Amino acid sequence: MNSNNKSLADRISPASGDTGVGIVNILMDLGPACTGNAATFREALRLIIQKLPNPHFQHSQQQSNGNIPLKEMAISRLIHFFAAVGGGGGKVQTQASKGANGNDGNNNNNNTKTSLSAAFVGVFTDDNDWTNNIDSSPSEWNLDVVSQVLGDFSHLNWSLVARSFDFPEFKVRDARHLELLLALYRKGAQAHLPLDQITVGWNNNLGQLTLLEYLLAVPPSVYAFQVNAEEAADAATLDGVATTCPNPRGWASAKILQRLLHLSDQKPLHQKVREIFVVGLLSCPEIILCALVRLQLSVASAAAQQTSGEAKAIAAANASAGMPMKGELMRELIPLFFKPNTQHVVRNGPAALRRLWSISQNTVVAACIEAWRSTGNDPPQIRFNTVVHIIGVVRILPSPENAIATILNGNKDPEFSFTVAFVMGDHDMLQLRPWLTDRMANAGANKVMFAVALIAYLGKNYSQASSRVNKPLVSVENLSICLQFLISLDNETLSSVIPNTSNEQNAGKGVTLGSSVKALVDACVAQHQNLGSAITAPPKQDMPPTNNQSANQDDIEEMANSYFQKIYTSEQSAREVVEMLKKFKASGSSKENDIFACMIHNLFDEYRFFSKYPEKELRITGILFGLLIKEQLVSSITLGIALRYVLEALRKPPGQSPMSGKMFRFGMFALEQFKERLHEWPQYCSHIVQIPHLREGYASLVAEIEGAMDDNHSHASSVSTGPTAPTESSGGRTTDSENGRSSLPVNPSMLGGEISVPRNQMSVPIGGIGVGGGSGMATPLSFGMGAVTNKVELPTPTLPNQTKEHKPRKAVFGPGLGRAVNAPAESNDSQNETPPDALLDRVQFLINNVSPSNVEHKSHDLKEMLEPKYFGWLGHYLVVKRISTQPNFHSLYLSFLDNLGEYGKGLVEAILSSVYVNVGKLLRSQKITTSTSERSLLKNLGSWLGQITLARNRPILQVMLDCKELLFQGYETGMLIAVTPFVAKILEGAKNSIVFCPPNPWLMGLLSVFRALYNVDDLKMNIKFEVEVLCKNLGLKLEDIPMRNADLSKRVPPVKEKNPDFNLKSQQSGASSVTGTSTPSKTGNGQGMALSAANSILSSPENKSSGASVSGDTIKSEASDGTSQDQQQTVIPNLAAYVNVNPNLTQLFHQVQGGPLAANVTAEVLKRSVPIAVDRAIREIIQPVVERSVSIACITTKSIATKDFAMESDENKMRKGAQLMVANLAGSLALVTCREPLHTSISSHLRQILMNTINNASGASSGQAQLGDLDQNALDQCVAICSTENLELGCMLIEKAATEKAVRDMDEALAPALSIRKKHREQTGQPYYDMSIFHNDNQRYPKALPDILRPKPGGLLPEQLLVYDAFQRIPRQPAPSSHTQPQVASESDPSGDQLGDDSSAVQGTSGQLNLNAISAIALKLDSSVTSLLNTAGPRAPEIMLSMIPSDHEIKQLISAVPRVVSPSEESR
């Protein structure tokens, strides 16, 4: 009795002093009865407060004037409690809910009264009526009553209520729990939950994290984050695109991000926070990128501005919060946006990059440089694609010229600047020679170092140079220009001595810049013989305008002016001059190229004087200007300048002044020439039609332009196919169809900014935009962004003040699909004339008895039996009763129709008409997406329709059924689940067609839509499977079908929630892709991201950094710290993030005072050196280890699997079993093989790197620095510790490489066996048995096996398959040490007792197989069987297992298998 009273007192008034706990405990014991109505609930609260032994409540009761005296802390407890029980949680554990006997307090039933309930009701209330009420309590809590009563407490400080959620038991269980909690709070506070109260520091960090997690997971209708203008701008980067992010503004909130970063610093919560960020990276990386950068800038600025001690400490803590998490996020985000990425799709990358540019221009530039540096050890093609991608990023920014200038001139990485300049030069975006001249002139005192950097760059890459056509980083053309530039340097510069910063002893040798240039030229000419003539007689356009060439420059100017004079004197027409310019541009003559560039430059530069031209010359100039645009003689940014000039002229009011009128007329003359190209730039058109005076005085022109805009908007492709019209390639560039040249697209910012072209140059030198011609090749910009596409589609020219808006189109299924779908819903069966009953029965009987053997006879009978007037009825009958339900007999019915000949043509038409009618009915059905039977009927009709039309070279008219539009509308409205199989079955008929087989344009157009749909995120696998089956039936590979995402991107994005076409659960599994693990490889220790990043490198281990250097003393001063660039980076990306460097290692060096080790080997040196050593060691041994392990595992697995699955007809079981076995064998063998050599290699490389560091720091010119015994011992200990701690990481990477290669090789090795099983089953319907293994005289097994172990018809039994399944359940064993070796039964003990002991010991409570025991059994069994068969000699085949005595070793080994395979009862 005393213990019960004590327990009761603890629950009513807990020791913590939190009175809310007592109220919640009592309410929980009272059950839902107390919320029967508002009056009952109020009375319950009042009685509880009256009887609670709390002086604070008693005092409050006296002052409450009738109100229930609850405080903020109690209210927060009540809200959390009712949200939990109302969300299906039943009961909630509170602080005092554990009883005296140790139970959790949750064993009371809502329908019965507990001891506390009885005690409370009987002792405290003395109310027998209420006792009866409680006994008949309902089973659910009435939250409406609770919310009504919470409204009584509106006078409380609800901000304090929100802050009071910070109590130990607070935890948000799921989204429903959060919804109820927010609703109850909103009812009481009459306001939303304040964000500032839930993002401050809490004591209950885990509870706060669960609250933030689910706030980010609910839509704005549940909780709308209050954000400022900057945060709203970040969230707006996802506007207008389909996204899986439920609440974008939450991720844009700086308070949310800052709190998550703080929580990530707590080790128990770090992984949980990381998982939350992974969800964000998968759904809205655009927002996280912008918000994270903006947050870092703001906290860093705040920390710099604070001066007082406490405020400065807080600001510094905010700035340093979550630094590891920030670093990890940026390592994921930078490659996603700034490197070509085909695996992860960013839905609105251009908008995010523009937003990031507005936040911090330096961050964008730095990210571009970092993305380039991360490819230091990648193959040249990957590096080239990265540079092209970075250029594409810069070109979609609001101020590309500033970003390009910073990259080319303002960064501290000359190699990056040179690479970008070279690639831009190859794409006619930069004139390389003038740029080099300007850089040299602006370098001032550092011009020698600039020349040295150029020489070093060329020396490293000249051996890999090739023609521009091959898209190299360094083209032979650019190499020639650079060599000419270096040769043409003045004598003073060439005689300058190159400073040597790495070796002071060699500084006095006097290596001059000229000698380095000579050595470089000799090496380049030896490598590329065709450079000899180019260097000795350099092209004139590439030489600087020195005195001896000024005459040539003057000649070009004079000839350009003469051509203009012929135009204005009418000796030549503008069109004739344009044709001449086209020839000059495409010419290989440098002189003609220069004349073309000079004329374009002079014409653009004269723009400011057009207002002073006479009327005739003005008209000629306007026509010439417009023809340049029409004939695509200007492109890229130069085209943008031309378009902007025309727009500016059109905006001049014609009646305001004579000069204004002339400019307007110039604009009209020019516009008239290229208006047929306006459809290419819809946004440019929108600005033209908004000009007021143009709308008033030239209404017909405005109407024509608006018509072009409407045509562009309504058609899937807006590209003209005329002979001179530009076409848009997959990379978003424009291509001149006449001369084959291509250039990157027009940058929209060029149309709105202030741009001038200097008169004294033919190209803009550091603006980087050349207007001159050349023969460069353009490259598509791989960007990894967009809803479906992996290419950057650079925007069309955009001008400011755009105000025209298009209302979003609403997705509707039906319009435009053709008569089949849009025909009246009623059936036309009633319109068909029905034959008499007797004839009807005869016809139906005939159809029922048609078979392949009598089809010709039955068709002859039908001719005599049925008149053509009844074909409508028969066609409808065949479609409804036969064709739609019997797909296996389609070939029979087709044969039947063929035998009818001319007589049956009317029947074919009737059948086809009925098919269209019934297809329309099914597509209009409300149940088509939910009823599998209706979808099956539709699919069967599609199969028939393809066979009766396409297979017979008969088209499906668009007016009857528009298949492409059907797919698009199915995508928009959630009907792909029905439409995709239907259209796929139609197209299968094309495999037997002569006309509609690939590459028929109509067929390939539909297949391109299928491929675009295949790449849509979260699309259900059964829909993708239909596409794969179609491609297989047509003999095509999915990747060979052209990708056309532009059409799909213009459709209305579907709503994926509750959409039968999409499976949003795939997002959860998709989160694991960020960590990069793949079955059956086993990863752990949080290193999945490193494995994912290293996958491509490990697949080709031979990839190593390479670079050429010039012999002699030419380029020795590249590295100042003794470590070359390839030593500063690892081939495996992000490897340094997972390498472990013990921070206590430096204590070893502190023990050696004054030695070179303590002075030069610091913690930072180790952090740089250890990853490089690990990386080199892995690359050194990975290839032979993987090749050997995979080869052995594949041979072994193929032999065993072929034998075991010889009688197994299911190819999937065989494939899965072989994959599991080979993956485990290859991984384990690689692990065992690589451990010792990897340990040795890591130690060797690390020792060498550290010694090089010491040597370079001490200035040793040869040999190694002498270390004392203490230094040497400390170094040995350091190397041993580092190599041991990182051995598992290296082993894991090698194991992963071996596992994945083994699975691929095994699939190839078993492909014939798997294929023959599938074909045999599809063709005969019978299981396949591989009898060849029994007739191979050279193969010992399975003939020599006892009968019980031989393969038998029917395949492997489940218990036999368990052996293969066990391979994926066997956990990777930890590295064996000297004192823990696995125990395996010795061969000297044949009794099997040792095996039994081992198996039971290892089984323990794990219930998993012991690989060592199974291996020992297999080895001993093989030895015993071999010995027995050898003894039997010729009579070995006669030996049966039943002949072997029970005490024989074979029987004992077999009996030991169940003890190993099946866990013991005790272990269960």
Side-chain angles (χ1 to χ4, degrees):
M1 183 64 181
N2 293 335
S3 63
N4 289 337
N5 290 338
K6 181 178 180 181
S7 175
L8 178 61
D10 289 341
R11 289 169 64 80
I12 293 176
S13 181
S16 66
D18 187 351
T19 53
V21 176
I23 298 174
V24 168
N25 283 336
I26 296 173
L27 288 175
M28 183 168 56
D29 287 328
L30 288 176
C34 59
T35 61
N37 54 63
T40 302
F41 186 41
R42 290 189 182 98
E43 184 64 19
L45 291 176
R46 185 173 290 105
L47 289 173
I48 292 172
I49 294 170
Q50 287 177 356
K51 299 302 181 178
L52 278 178
N54 191 310
H56 172 73
F57 273 128
Q58 294 172 6
H59 176 73
S60 299
Q61 179 189 0
Q62 297 172 4
Q63 305 294 331
S64 63
N65 297 325
N67 293 330
I68 303 175
L70 288 180
K71 294 300 180 182
E72 287 79 1
M73 185 176 293
I75 292 293
S76 64
R77 289 268 188 179
L78 287 176
I79 291 176
H80 179 258
F81 166 73
F82 282 114
V85 296
K91 307 163 189 67
V92 187
Q93 179 168 331
T94 61
Q95 185 179 19
S97 61
K98 290 191 176 182
N101 296 328
N103 60 350
D104 61 0
N106 287 340
N107 56 355
N108 56 321
N109 191 308
N110 282 336
N111 296 322
T112 60
K113 185 172 56 176
T114 65
S115 60
L116 181 57
S117 301
F120 174 77
V121 175
V123 178
F124 288 161
T125 66
D126 297 325
D127 189 344
N128 294 328
D129 292 337
W130 196 15
T131 303
N132 296 330
N133 260 343
I134 295 175
D135 287 338
S136 60
S137 61
S139 60
E140 294 184 359
W141 300 83
N142 192 337
L143 296 190
D144 292 335
V145 170
V146 175
S147 62
Q148 181 180 351
V149 174
L150 286 176
D152 298 344
F153 299 94
S154 59
H155 60 280
L156 295 179
N157 183 351
W158 282 88
S159 293
L160 183 56
V161 172
R163 184 67 180 83
S164 299
F165 282 129
D166 182 16
F167 53 84
E169 295 78 27
F170 180 86
K171 183 179 181 181
V172 179
R173 186 177 60 252
D174 50 33
R176 177 61 179 164
H177 186 187
L178 177 65
E179 289 181 22
L180 293 177
L181 186 144
L182 294 174
L184 292 174
Y185 182 91
R186 190 163 54 248
K187 186 67 176 178
Q190 302 300 315
H192 293 283
L193 187 67
L195 191 61
D196 55 348
Q197 296 298 327
I198 59 176
T199 53
V200 296
W202 278 23
N203 294 323
N204 182 6
N205 291 316
L206 177 60
Q208 184 181 32
L209 184 58
T210 61
L211 175 60
L212 299 181
E213 176 186 7
Y214 286 107
L215 283 175
L216 292 170
V218 297
S221 58
V222 177
Y223 185 76
F225 286 88
Q226 299 299 317
V227 296
N228 56 35
E230 291 293 320
E231 294 167 344
D234 292 345
T237 55
L238 283 184
D239 288 352
V241 296
T243 177
T244 58
C245 181
N247 208 333
R249 291 199 167 199
W251 286 106
S253 171
K255 295 178 180 178
I256 292 290
L257 288 181
Q258 184 67 23
R259 192 57 196 156
L260 287 176
L261 292 174
H262 273 290
L263 293 175
S264 70
D265 287 335
Q266 300 184 24
K267 190 173 182 179
L269 302 180
H270 179 84
Q271 184 61 27
K272 181 67 175 176
V273 176
R274 184 180 182 277
E275 293 172 358
I276 295 174
F277 273 116
V278 165
V279 175
L281 288 175
L282 291 174
S283 59
C284 55
E286 303 91 341
I287 298 177
I288 295 180
L289 174 66
C290 298
L292 196 62
V293 172
R294 179 174 44 77
L295 173 64
Q296 185 62 23
L297 292 175
S298 62
V299 296
S301 176
Q305 294 175 1
Q306 296 295 334
T307 56
S308 61
E310 183 178 357
K312 187 173 183 180
I314 295 175
N318 288 333
S320 61
M323 292 305 293
M325 183 62 65
K326 290 178 187 176
E328 189 173 355
L329 289 173
M330 293 308 296
R331 284 192 296 271
E332 292 292 327
L333 288 168
I334 287 179
L336 201 59
F337 287 90
F338 295 93
K339 293 178 67 176
N341 196 320
T342 59
Q343 297 178 351
H344 300 286
V345 177
V346 179
R347 293 171 175 80
N348 203 7
L353 291 170
R354 295 189 193 101
R355 171 59 184 160
L356 185 61
W357 178 261
S358 66
I359 295 172
S360 173
Q361 298 181 8
N362 292 336
T363 300
V364 176
V365 175
C368 291
I369 297 173
E370 179 61 28
W372 157 256
R373 289 176 176 174
S374 66
T375 64
N377 294 305
D378 289 341
Q381 189 59 43
I382 294 179
R383 307 193 80 196
F384 174 83
N385 293 337
T386 302
V387 174
V388 174
H389 179 86
I390 291 172
I391 296 173
V393 169
V394 174
R395 289 170 59 82
I396 63 175
L397 297 177
S399 302
E401 63 281 0
N402 295 337
I404 290 177
T406 303
I407 289 174
L408 293 178
N409 309 317
N411 78 86
K412 297 182 180 180
D413 190 339
E415 181 179 354
F416 179 56
S417 298
F418 290 138
T419 305
V420 174
F422 282 20
V423 173
M424 292 180 67
D426 287 337
H427 290 80
D428 288 339
M429 299 172 62
L430 176 77
Q431 293 298 306
L432 185 59
R433 182 62 179 272
W435 177 77
L436 291 172
T437 303
D438 281 2
R439 280 296 304 269
M440 193 73 173
N442 296 330
N446 295 322
K447 62 181 181 179
V448 174
M449 295 308 300
F450 173 77
V452 169
L454 178 60
I455 294 172
Y457 179 75
L458 296 176
K460 182 178 180 180
N461 297 284
Y462 78 92
S463 62
Q464 302 174 5
S466 61
S467 174
R468 285 175 174 169
V469 179
N470 300 325
K471 303 175 184 178
L473 284 174
V474 177
S475 64
V476 176
E477 294 84 348
N478 287 337
L479 182 61
S480 173
I481 293 173
C482 293
L483 292 178
Q484 294 169 19
F485 167 76
L486 291 172
I487 293 174
S488 65
L489 293 176
D490 57 85
N491 293 331
E492 181 182 355
T493 303
L494 291 174
S495 61
S496 301
V497 178
I498 299 177
N500 194 331
T501 58
S502 61
N503 193 344
E504 296 179 358
Q505 296 180 3
N506 296 330
K509 292 186 178 181
V511 178
T512 64
L513 184 63
S515 61
S516 296
V517 171
K518 184 178 183 303
L520 175 62
V521 171
D522 293 342
C524 292
V525 171
Q527 182 75 23
H528 308 281
Q529 283 80 6
N530 58 341
L531 284 177
S533 58
I535 294 175
T536 56
K540 296 178 181 179
Q541 74 269 23
D542 292 327
M543 294 299 293
T546 55
N547 294 332
N548 58 347
Q549 295 174 342
S550 58
N552 292 336
Q553 186 68 41
D554 293 340
D555 290 343
I556 292 173
E557 290 279 356
E558 184 177 351
M559 294 186 68
N561 292 333
S562 67
Y563 286 121
F564 279 119
Q565 186 176 3
K566 290 180 180 180
I567 299 174
Y568 293 125
T569 58
S570 301
E571 295 182 28
Q572 282 184 313
S573 67
R575 295 188 180 276
E576 291 174 345
V577 172
V578 167
E579 291 299 322
M580 180 192 67
L581 289 175
K582 290 170 67 174
K583 294 178 182 178
F584 284 0
K585 181 180 180 181
S587 171
S589 169
S590 59
K591 181 177 181 180
E592 291 181 347
N593 291 157
D594 286 346
I595 295 173
F596 169 82
C598 185
M599 292 184 67
I600 298 296
H601 164 263
N602 290 345
L603 182 63
F604 276 42
D605 197 45
E606 282 291 311
Y607 172 78
R608 50 187 169 174
F609 304 113
F610 286 169
S611 60
K612 300 179 181 179
Y613 275 26
E615 197 65 32
K616 175 186 174 182
E617 285 74 11
L618 180 68
R619 181 179 62 82
I620 293 174
T621 305
I623 293 174
L624 178 62
F625 207 93
L627 288 175
L628 293 177
I629 298 175
K630 176 185 176 181
E631 300 297 334
Q632 303 181 54
L633 289 173
V634 288
S635 60
S636 189
I637 297 179
T638 314
L639 174 61
I641 299 173
L643 291 174
R644 198 204 71 182
Y645 283 168
V646 174
L647 183 63
E648 286 183 352
L650 292 173
R651 285 175 172 168
K652 300 291 185 181
Q656 184 176 2
S657 66
M659 297 179 64
S660 177
K662 284 188 176 183
M663 292 303 297
F664 176 77
R665 288 192 294 276
F666 160 78
M668 290 297 295
F669 290 141
L671 180 64
E672 189 66 29
Q673 307 307 312
F674 68 88
K675 64 181 181 181
E676 64 186 42
R677 288 192 65 190
L678 287 175
H679 68 275
E680 300 176 27
W681 311 299
Q683 295 179 351
Y684 185 74
C685 294
S686 68
H687 289 282
I688 295 178
V689 299
Q690 292 172 19
I691 301 175
H693 52 267
L694 200 63
R695 297 187 67 91
E696 295 174 2
Y698 300 86
S700 60
L701 176 63
V702 171
E704 184 178 353
I705 297 174
E706 288 179 338
M709 294 170 59
D710 294 337
D711 291 343
N712 180 77
H713 179 70
S714 61
H715 286 79
S717 176
S718 61
V719 182
S720 173
T721 58
T724 61
T727 59
E728 185 169 332
S729 69
S730 60
R733 47 186 180 153
T734 56
T735 306
D736 190 335
S737 57
E738 282 195 12
N739 54 30
R741 285 181 49 80
S742 60
S743 61
L744 297 175
V746 181
N747 192 291
S749 63
M750 293 294 97
L751 300 177
E754 292 296 330
I755 297 181
S756 61
V757 184
R759 284 183 62 88
N760 58 350
Q761 294 176 4
M762 295 184 202
S763 62
V764 183
I766 214 51
I769 315 305
V771 298
S775 58
M777 299 293 292
T779 305
L781 298 181
S782 175
F783 207 73
M785 300 182 181
V788 180
T789 181
N790 289 330
K791 300 291 182 184
V792 166
E793 301 212 359
L794 296 181
T796 50
T798 306
L799 292 169
N801 304 323
Q802 180 177 353
T803 58
K804 185 172 181 178
E805 297 181 356
H806 295 281
K807 294 183 179 179
R809 185 172 66 84
K810 189 175 182 180
V812 179
F813 185 83
L817 295 181
R819 298 172 186 170
V821 180
N822 297 322
E826 60 270 9
S827 172
N828 61 352
D829 184 32
S830 58
Q831 303 174 4
N832 299 323
E833 185 176 353
T834 306
D837 291 344
L839 180 59
L840 185 148
D841 292 340
R842 291 177 60 194
V843 172
Q844 291 182 348
F845 180 80
L846 182 148
I847 299 299
N848 288 338
N849 289 277
V850 172
S851 66
S853 60
N854 64 10
V855 62
E856 186 175 354
H857 175 67
K858 293 297 181 181
S859 60
H860 179 73
D861 291 345
L862 183 67
K863 292 180 183 179
E864 299 178 350
M865 186 184 305
L866 193 68
E867 298 180 27
K869 65 179 180 179
Y870 299 124
F871 280 170
W873 165 83
L874 180 58
H876 179 74
Y877 169 77
L878 287 173
V879 170
V880 174
K881 300 296 183 180
R882 303 292 176 181
I883 294 172
S884 63
T885 59
Q886 300 175 353
N888 294 333
F889 293 103
H890 282 181
S891 59
L892 176 63
Y893 296 139
L894 286 170
S895 177
F896 180 75
L897 293 176
D898 290 339
N899 281 282
L900 292 176
E902 290 293 326
Y903 167 82
K905 287 186 177 180
L907 180 58
V908 171
E909 295 300 324
I911 291 175
L912 190 58
S913 176
S914 182
V915 167
Y916 283 130
V917 170
N918 286 279
V919 164
K921 285 183 180 180
L922 290 171
L923 288 174
R924 291 191 301 268
S925 172
Q926 299 294 326
K927 299 187 295 182
I928 189 62
T929 58
T930 58
S931 172
T932 55
S933 59
E934 287 194 359
R935 293 200 298 272
S936 177
L937 293 175
L938 182 63
K939 187 175 180 179
N940 295 340
L941 290 178
S943 177
W944 173 266
L945 185 59
Q947 294 179 61
I948 203 173
T949 56
L950 302 183
R952 300 179 176 217
N953 302 318
R954 178 174 179 175
I956 298 175
L957 298 179
Q958 184 174 349
V959 70
M960 286 301 301
L961 183 65
D962 190 342
C963 294
K964 183 181 289 188
E965 184 66 19
L966 183 62
L967 289 173
F968 284 140
Q969 293 192 16
Y971 164 73
E972 294 177 331
T973 58
M975 290 185 60
L976 280 181
I977 192 174
V979 168
T980 302
F982 170 64
V983 180
K985 283 297 180 182
I986 292 176
L987 297 190
E988 280 187 12
K991 65 183 178 182
N992 299 320
S993 173
I994 299 175
V995 176
F996 296 101
C997 61
N1000 177 275
W1002 177 83
L1003 176 67
M1004 298 308 294
L1006 280 171
L1007 292 177
S1008 67
V1009 177
F1010 271 120
R1011 187 182 178 189
L1013 292 173
Y1014 186 89
N1015 292 331
V1016 173
D1017 291 342
D1018 305 320
L1019 194 68
K1020 283 189 174 178
M1021 290 304 300
N1022 56 337
I1023 299 177
K1024 293 188 175 185
F1025 179 72
E1026 294 289 348
V1027 180
E1028 294 173 355
V1029 171
L1030 172 62
C1031 293
K1032 181 180 179 182
N1033 289 332
L1034 294 178
L1036 296 173
K1037 292 183 179 180
L1038 186 64
E1039 56 270 19
D1040 294 338
I1041 299 174
M1043 177 76 74
R1044 295 181 183 174
N1045 293 313
D1047 294 351
L1048 196 64
S1049 63
K1050 295 178 181 179
R1051 310 301 296 202
V1052 178
V1055 179
K1056 295 185 179 181
E1057 288 77 10
K1058 299 182 180 179
N1059 190 324
D1061 296 341
F1062 297 95
N1063 183 11
L1064 293 183
K1065 292 182 180 179
S1066 64
Q1067 289 292 338
Q1068 300 172 0
S1069 62
S1072 64
S1073 66
V1074 177
T1075 59
T1077 60
S1078 62
T1079 304
S1081 178
K1082 303 166 182 63
T1083 60
N1085 304 326
Q1087 292 157 336
M1089 298 178 75
L1091 293 177
S1092 176
N1095 189 28
S1096 60
I1097 303 297
L1098 295 177
S1099 63
S1100 55
E1102 68 277 10
N1103 289 336
K1104 298 182 181 180
S1105 59
S1106 61
S1109 60
V1110 180
S1111 60
D1113 300 325
T1114 55
I1115 316 175
K1116 291 184 177 179
S1117 59
E1118 176 68 12
S1120 60
D1121 60 350
T1123 307
S1124 61
Q1125 182 183 4
D1126 65 332
Q1127 291 175 322
Q1128 298 299 324
Q1129 298 177 349
T1130 58
V1131 172
I1132 305 175
N1134 295 333
L1135 180 63
Y1138 305 100
V1139 167
N1140 183 26
V1141 179
N1142 195 325
N1144 297 325
L1145 284 176
T1146 54
Q1147 296 179 3
L1148 291 172
F1149 309 143
H1150 294 329
Q1151 299 174 4
V1152 188
Q1153 298 295 333
L1157 193 64
N1160 300 305
V1161 181
T1162 63
E1164 292 299 323
V1165 171
L1166 286 177
K1167 289 180 180 179
R1168 291 195 308 268
S1169 304
V1170 175
I1172 298 172
V1174 175
D1175 178 83
R1176 291 180 179 177
I1178 292 174
R1179 286 188 285 142
E1180 185 177 84
I1181 72 169
I1182 187 171
Q1183 187 172 9
V1185 168
V1186 169
E1187 291 295 337
R1188 179 176 180 273
S1189 303
V1190 171
S1191 177
I1192 295 174
C1194 286
I1195 293 173
T1196 304
T1197 302
K1198 183 180 179 182
S1199 300
I1200 296 177
T1202 304
K1203 182 264 298 182
D1204 286 348
F1205 291 89
M1207 298 297 179
E1208 178 59 64
S1209 61
D1210 189 347
E1211 71 276 6
N1212 292 323
K1213 289 184 180 179
M1214 184 177 183
R1215 180 188 296 108
K1216 180 182 178 182
Q1219 287 178 345
L1220 294 175
M1221 180 177 180
V1222 76
N1224 190 283
L1225 292 182
S1228 300
L1229 186 57
L1231 193 63
V1232 173
T1233 307
C1234 76
R1235 187 175 298 278
E1236 287 304 322
L1238 181 63
H1239 187 277
T1240 303
S1241 183
I1242 294 175
S1243 301
S1244 175
H1245 284 296
L1246 182 57
R1247 188 187 308 277
Q1248 182 64 37
I1249 293 172
L1250 294 179
M1251 287 303 300
N1252 288 342
T1253 302
I1254 297 173
N1255 292 338
N1256 293 330
S1258 61
S1261 59
S1262 62
Q1264 292 187 352
Q1266 297 298 322
L1267 299 180
D1269 292 339
L1270 293 178
D1271 283 332
Q1272 189 65 47
N1273 291 335
L1275 180 62
D1276 292 342
Q1277 293 182 43
C1278 173
V1279 169
I1281 292 173
C1282 291
S1283 57
T1284 302
E1285 289 182 343
N1286 294 284
L1287 181 61
E1288 282 301 307
L1289 173 63
C1291 290
M1292 185 169 18
L1293 292 172
I1294 295 175
E1295 181 189 15
K1296 175 182 173 64
T1299 297
E1300 294 184 349
K1301 187 177 190 303
V1303 172
R1304 292 193 301 268
D1305 291 358
M1306 195 72 252
D1307 287 343
E1308 294 177 2
L1310 292 180
L1314 300 176
S1315 177
I1316 196 172
R1317 282 167 169 76
K1318 186 175 182 181
K1319 289 181 179 178
H1320 187 273
R1321 184 179 67 253
E1322 292 176 348
Q1323 295 174 359
T1324 66
Q1326 300 296 323
Y1328 173 81
Y1329 299 137
D1330 184 9
M1331 305 301 296
S1332 62
I1333 64 171
F1334 296 99
H1335 306 296
N1336 189 351
D1337 296 332
N1338 297 325
Q1339 187 171 336
R1340 181 177 182 182
Y1341 297 110
K1343 291 189 300 182
L1345 288 176
D1347 183 65
I1348 194 173
L1349 297 180
R1350 291 185 185 181
K1352 295 181 176 59
L1356 297 182
L1357 300 175
E1359 53 269 23
Q1360 293 172 322
L1361 285 173
L1362 184 63
V1363 176
Y1364 284 91
D1365 292 337
F1367 282 111
Q1368 67 180 340
R1369 298 200 304 268
I1370 299 173
R1372 174 179 161 180
Q1373 299 296 324
S1377 60
S1378 59
H1379 57 278
T1380 57
Q1381 296 292 338
Q1383 300 294 324
V1384 183
S1386 61
E1387 295 185 4
S1388 61
D1389 181 15
S1391 66
D1393 294 337
Q1394 180 71 31
L1395 289 171
D1397 294 339
D1398 278 350
S1399 63
S1400 61
V1402 175
Q1403 290 285 340
T1405 58
S1406 66
Q1408 295 191 0
L1409 298 177
N1410 184 345
L1411 179 60
N1412 296 328
I1414 292 177
S1415 301
I1417 291 177
L1419 291 173
K1420 292 178 66 63
L1421 188 60
D1422 180 79
S1423 176
S1424 300
V1425 171
T1426 301
S1427 176
L1428 178 63
L1429 295 178
N1430 289 336
T1431 303
R1435 304 192 62 181
E1438 301 175 6
I1439 297 178
M1440 306 291 290
L1441 185 64
S1442 57
M1443 301 177 182
I1444 301 175
S1446 58
D1447 59 346
H1448 194 275
E1449 182 183 19
I1450 294 178
K1451 283 290 187 70
Q1452 292 186 358
L1453 290 171
I1454 294 175
S1455 64
V1457 172
R1459 299 201 301 270
V1460 177
V1461 173
S1462 302
S1464 63
E1465 293 298 328
E1466 292 79 1
S1467 67
R1468 299 178 185 175

